[in-house]
Amino acid sequence: MNLTTFDKQHIWHPYAAMGTPVYPVVSANGVYIKLANGQELIDGMASWWSVIHGYNHPILNAAIHKQVDSMAHVMFGGLTHQPAVDLARLLIEITPNNLENVFFSDSGSVAVEVAIKMAIQYCYAVGNPKKQKLLTIRNGYHGDTFGAMAVCDPVNGMHNIFSHVLAQHYFAENNINSFQKLLEQHHNEIAAVILEPLLQGAGGMRIYSAEFLRSVRSLCDEYKVLLILDEIATGFGRTGTLFACERADISPDILCVGKALTGGYMSLAATLTSKQVSEVICSHPPGVFMHGPTFMANPLACSVAAASINLLLESPWQQTISNIEQQLIDSLSACAALPQVADVRILGAVGIVELQDSIDVATMQQAFVDKGVWIRPFRNLIYIMPPYIITPQQLSQLTQAIFEVIKATEPA
Ligand SMILES: *Cc1c(COP(=O)(O)O)cnc(C)c1O
């Protein structure tokens, strides 16, 4: 049985039915994904925000090779190692100043679970055990596990069939008055606010202002509610600053990072907290934080993450992102004139074209592949967040393909 036939019959893919057509990949190098039929596609997705330096990078390959020869894995209960310490040190250095303690986990969703549990345990420890709810805004996405699903948009968050088993939280409209009202009314039950700063990802690819985020921070202070920022998509330079919250000049009490953390090499995420949060948790019964993944701080993942962050910091990443942003503004604006297009949004190295109607993903996917690019739309959104190493020529192939593929569809 050949590869695709077996895949169709036996393997699930993200948010897909069994049997959904998929393209077999044999290798990936730089910004190119090579299909089994020999075709090479320019990657517009950076494998969902993560492959910021491109595929098969010699420095990242070397980091993994070096680590695997000394220790691929060891449990983190009662043990520690250099890769974890190096990475934690780097994360503490590059994230907002107040964040000093790092909890490593395997995926973004788990980093969010950890953040939520920390916020609730913090409130329990300070003698507010009734504060167990979260407040967020509409159109968010924070992951696919149960705690994370419960703070995704309740309508378009892709999880509404589970709503009866999810924890019930508060959802503000995306304006500060609605947010303030809910906080005023319910702060006695709210442990934390959770938000994706500035750019909401899979919940709708929406951008909101730094001013909104600043107001959220001061309202959280006023009502003594923790602020969790989920920078799993926005972290590591994607929006133009190393972390999106820097634009608002604020720090969260708890920060989640993932996706680009390892440059897309391995699954790893981290939840960072202020000393205040971790000290309160550890100095009240039960005196420990109640979480501990089997593969916590995997040494291979930690080494490649540290190598990826160093690679980023040593590169002229600000100029790179700003060049990509400018080119996206210049080239995607043409799409706004098409009758099929509702909106064009750009932030840093992220370009979003929102269509009037939802897309038939399989058909549009094939149209993009025919043009030699890898772009995976969802709902009515075509979006790209390419590897930072993309050249202007490669980027214009992506934006040109978007324009042509939309143009070829029936107008709304
Ligand atoms: C992708 C994503 C997650 C979930 O991360 P996984 O690694 O897929 O579990 C959480 N929050 C945001 C903002 C994301 O973009």
Side-chain angles (χ1 to χ4, degrees):
M1 200 188 290
N2 83 14
L3 185 148
T4 42
T5 313
F6 186 91
D7 185 291
K8 269 191 181 160
Q9 290 176 15
H10 299 286
I11 309 180
W12 291 105
H13 286 264
Y15 286 94
M18 287 294 308
T20 305
V22 287
Y23 301 84
V25 182
V26 287
S27 62
N29 195 47
V31 295
Y32 289 99
I33 293 173
K34 187 173 183 182
L35 300 185
N37 67 5
Q39 201 187 354
E40 296 203 83
L41 306 177
I42 296 174
D43 179 18
M45 308 303 291
S47 281
W48 281 332
W49 314 84
S50 63
V51 183
I52 54 177
H53 306 296
Y55 299 92
N56 198 21
H57 195 289
I59 291 175
L60 303 186
N61 288 5
I64 295 236
H65 280 293
K66 182 161 178 271
Q67 185 56 41
V68 79
D69 287 333
S70 66
M71 171 172 64
H73 183 62
V74 65
M75 65 186 279
F76 212 52
L79 299 171
T80 191
H81 46 75
Q82 201 66 47
V85 171
D86 290 345
L87 177 56
R89 205 192 295 275
L90 266 173
L91 286 172
I92 291 164
E93 209 175 282
I94 65 172
T95 53
N97 277 338
N98 63 318
L99 300 171
E100 290 189 51
N101 296 103
V102 185
F103 190 104
F104 289 114
S105 58
D106 325 276
S107 72
S109 300
V110 175
V112 169
E113 299 284 329
V114 165
I116 294 171
K117 285 175 72 173
M118 280 181 173
I120 292 173
Q121 196 174 331
Y122 171 87
C123 293
Y124 175 87
V126 294
N128 285 322
K130 288 217 177 79
K131 283 164 82 91
Q132 296 191 341
K133 293 210 181 279
L134 297 154
L135 169 62
T136 184
I137 55 175
R138 296 292 310 271
N139 304 300
Y141 176 80
H142 297 282
D144 291 351
T145 53
F146 276 84
M149 276 198 287
V151 285
C152 292
D153 188 284
V155 178
N156 65 19
M158 307 179 273
H159 302 125
N160 50 9
I161 66 162
F162 300 104
S163 60
H164 58 292
V165 284
L166 292 179
Q168 297 300 303
H169 298 303
Y170 293 108
F171 292 85
E173 296 306 317
N174 297 40
N175 69 67
I176 202 68
N177 292 337
S178 162
F179 182 89
Q180 178 162 12
K181 210 167 183 177
L182 283 174
L183 198 55
E184 250 166 40
Q185 285 167 350
H186 303 289
H187 63 95
N188 288 329
E189 311 157 59
I190 294 173
V193 164
I194 181 165
L195 295 178
E196 297 154 278
L198 264 53
L199 172 65
Q200 297 179 292
M205 301 299 298
R206 291 173 186 233
I207 298 166
Y208 65 89
S209 71
E211 198 189 326
F212 179 87
L213 194 56
R214 251 193 312 276
S215 307
V216 165
R217 175 71 271 184
S218 54
L219 287 168
C220 286
D221 291 339
E222 187 182 332
Y223 288 101
K224 300 203 169 15
V225 163
L226 296 174
L227 177 60
I228 302 169
L229 290 183
D230 176 351
E231 294 239 18
I232 291 165
T234 51
F236 305 102
R238 181 56 71 178
T239 68
T241 48
L242 211 42
F243 295 93
C245 65
E246 291 169 33
R247 286 228 191 181
D249 206 15
I250 57 138
S251 335
D253 303 289
I254 303 177
L255 174 75
C256 301
V257 295
K259 289 199 162 101
L261 173 60
T262 63
Y265 266 60
M266 297 194 64
S267 184
L268 183 72
T271 307
L272 284 91
T273 68
S274 63
K275 253 212 148 56
Q276 158 79 359
V277 169
S278 48
E279 274 172 0
V280 165
I281 288 172
C282 299
S283 59
H284 294 79
V288 298
F289 176 59
M290 291 297 186
H291 208 98
T294 305
F295 287 99
M296 189 169 185
N298 171 262
L300 290 174
C302 288
S303 346
V304 74
S308 173
I309 294 172
N310 284 322
L311 194 58
L312 180 67
L313 297 178
E314 287 157 14
S315 75
W317 61 270
Q318 276 155 308
Q319 193 55 50
T320 304
I321 304 298
S322 142
N323 293 346
I324 294 174
E325 179 174 52
Q326 196 52 54
Q327 193 180 337
L328 288 172
I329 292 168
D330 294 343
S331 54
L332 285 181
S333 62
C335 295
L338 296 169
Q340 297 92 333
V341 172
D343 192 24
V344 175
R345 304 189 277 274
I346 287 135
L347 181 66
V350 186
I352 303 148
V353 180
E354 183 175 331
L355 303 189
Q356 305 279 5
D357 292 326
S358 29
I359 289 159
D360 178 55
V361 175
T363 311
M364 193 168 276
Q365 184 99 87
Q366 184 61 51
F368 282 126
V369 169
D370 292 343
K371 293 196 181 295
V373 299
W374 181 247
I375 296 173
R376 187 163 168 83
F378 74 102
R379 286 183 4 216
N380 61 338
L381 296 160
I382 301 172
Y383 65 112
I384 50 172
M385 57 303 200
Y388 300 166
I389 57 157
I390 196 161
T391 65
Q393 291 77 5
Q394 292 163 339
L395 185 56
S396 63
Q397 277 182 260
L398 286 176
T399 54
Q400 193 61 31
I402 292 175
F403 181 82
E404 286 166 9
V405 165
I406 297 173
K407 197 155 187 264
T409 63
E410 287 291 309

